Amino acid sequence: MSGKFVTFEGPDGAGKTTVLNRLLSNLENKLGDRLVTSREPGGNNIAESIRNVILDRENTKMDSRTEALLYAASRRQNIVQTVKPALEKQKLVICDRFLDSSIAYQGGGRMIGESLVYEMNQFATEGFLPDLTIYFDIPVEVGLQRIAKNRKSDDIDRLDVETIDFHKRVHHAYQEIVKNNPKRVKVVDATQSIDDVYSDVVSIMNKYVKKFME
Ligand SMILES: Nc1ncnc2c1ncn2[C@@H]1O[C@H](COP(=O)(O)OP(=O)(O)OP(=O)(O)O)[C@@H](O)[C@H]1O
Ligand SMILES: [Mg+2]
């Protein structure tokens, strides 16, 4: 497979989707159908249906392990149906969140344990990992403030109503992922302006997925 698989990771409100959208609109013309985008949970019909179950605010009885299994199921479908076929055709695939999110949110946030969530996901991923992960580094409070400032209340999903402690555990788990995967995970300072974060992301992509950026 000579395509490249890039994932965006980081806490809520870090600016992943904002920067991804800007990147897509700038790469679209150049790459055409060599550019594929996806998001987690979701990315295709089956995975989007799983997404709706996960994020539905009515699902207050969702067990943590059920949630982790649903994310893994959605991920599996995304890999098999969308990501791998695109990589085989030498495309650039950029995904908004991936496995690291499960490790941070279910492993850390929900306290299932990072290594257990990682192990469970091996069934879904068969060891498949991104070529490059860009981590949007931001203090928990700053991310949550951005969301609170910009979102209408009826946009809030089940995961948005978590406590600050939950988000702190997520953040801590992410820091460990960054520390333990220095080759794959590159960090941007997401507290900067959108323009500056965007330009840091482009610099990283210029370096690590060069052939798609030239
Ligand atoms: N660098 C920035 N400075 C100030 N505001 C920002 C910045 N980046 C994004 N925002 C704003 O913060 C809010 C959250 O951004 P965005 O949805 O891109 O975050 P996200 O990382 O995708 O979050 P989530 O994980 O919840 O999807 C948006 O309203 C966005 O306009
Ligand atoms: Mg987002």
Side-chain angles (χ1 to χ4, degrees), residues 11-18 51 96-97 151:
D12 296 38
K16 301 176 293 298
T17 305
T18 304
R51 178 189 182 91
D96 197 343
R97 296 191 177 280
R151 248 187 209 174

Side-chain angles (χ1 to χ4, degrees), residues 29-71:
N29 278 344
K30 189 173 11 179
L31 295 179
D33 70 355
R34 290 171 68 218
L35 175 66
V36 173
T37 58
S38 188
R39 66 171 183 177
E40 280 213 352
N44 52 62
N45 288 348
I46 295 170
E48 289 290 332
S49 303
I50 300 171
R51 178 189 182 91
N52 292 336
V53 176
I54 295 172
L55 299 181
D56 188 345
R57 248 202 304 176
E58 303 289 307
N59 285 337
T60 51
K61 290 194 180 130
M62 176 87 64
D63 170 74
S64 299
R65 289 186 181 216
T66 306
E67 183 187 78
L69 288 160
L70 287 171
Y71 275 110

Side-chain angles (χ1 to χ4, degrees), residues 92-104:
L92 172 66
V93 184
I94 309 179
C95 192
D96 197 343
R97 296 191 177 280
F98 192 65
L99 172 62
D100 297 322
S101 285
S102 273
I103 294 173

Side-chain angles (χ1 to χ4, degrees), residues 75-94:
R75 179 163 306 125
R76 170 77 190 168
Q77 191 63 31
N78 194 23
I79 292 170
V80 172
Q81 193 180 334
T82 307
V83 181
K84 280 198 172 172
L87 295 179
E88 274 156 16
K89 291 185 186 131
Q90 277 124 63
K91 298 185 182 191
L92 172 66
V93 184
I94 309 179

Side-chain angles (χ1 to χ4, degrees), residues 8-21 40 51 96-97 101 105 136 138 142-151 157 160 167 174 189-198:
F8 281 19
E9 290 283 358
D12 296 38
K16 301 176 293 298
T17 305
T18 304
V19 171
L20 183 58
N21 287 339
E40 280 213 352
R51 178 189 182 91
D96 197 343
R97 296 191 177 280
S101 285
Y105 284 77
F136 286 61
I138 196 163
V142 181
L144 295 180
Q145 273 160 15
R146 282 184 187 168
I147 289 175
K149 194 171 137 205
N150 295 304
R151 248 187 209 174
D157 67 38
D160 290 330
H167 290 288
Y174 264 135
D189 175 1
T191 62
Q192 304 175 95
S193 70
I194 294 176
D195 284 351
D196 288 346
V197 178
Y198 176 74

Side-chain angles (χ1 to χ4, degrees), residues 122-179:
Q122 294 309 298
F123 180 73
T125 65
E126 299 176 275
F128 177 72
L129 280 171
D131 297 294
L132 169 68
T133 296
I134 301 181
Y135 177 68
F136 286 61
D137 193 20
I138 196 163
V140 172
E141 290 82 358
V142 181
L144 295 180
Q145 273 160 15
R146 282 184 187 168
I147 289 175
K149 194 171 137 205
N150 295 304
R151 248 187 209 174
K152 293 181 263 115
S153 64
D154 55 353
D155 280 346
I156 290 172
D157 67 38
R158 198 172 56 83
L159 299 182
D160 290 330
V161 294
E162 290 302 333
T163 62
I164 190 88
D165 284 347
F166 170 86
H167 290 288
K168 290 211 155 136
R169 288 195 298 273
V170 170
H171 190 260
H172 181 261
Y174 264 135
Q175 302 296 328
E176 292 294 303
I177 290 168
V178 169
K179 203 168 73 190

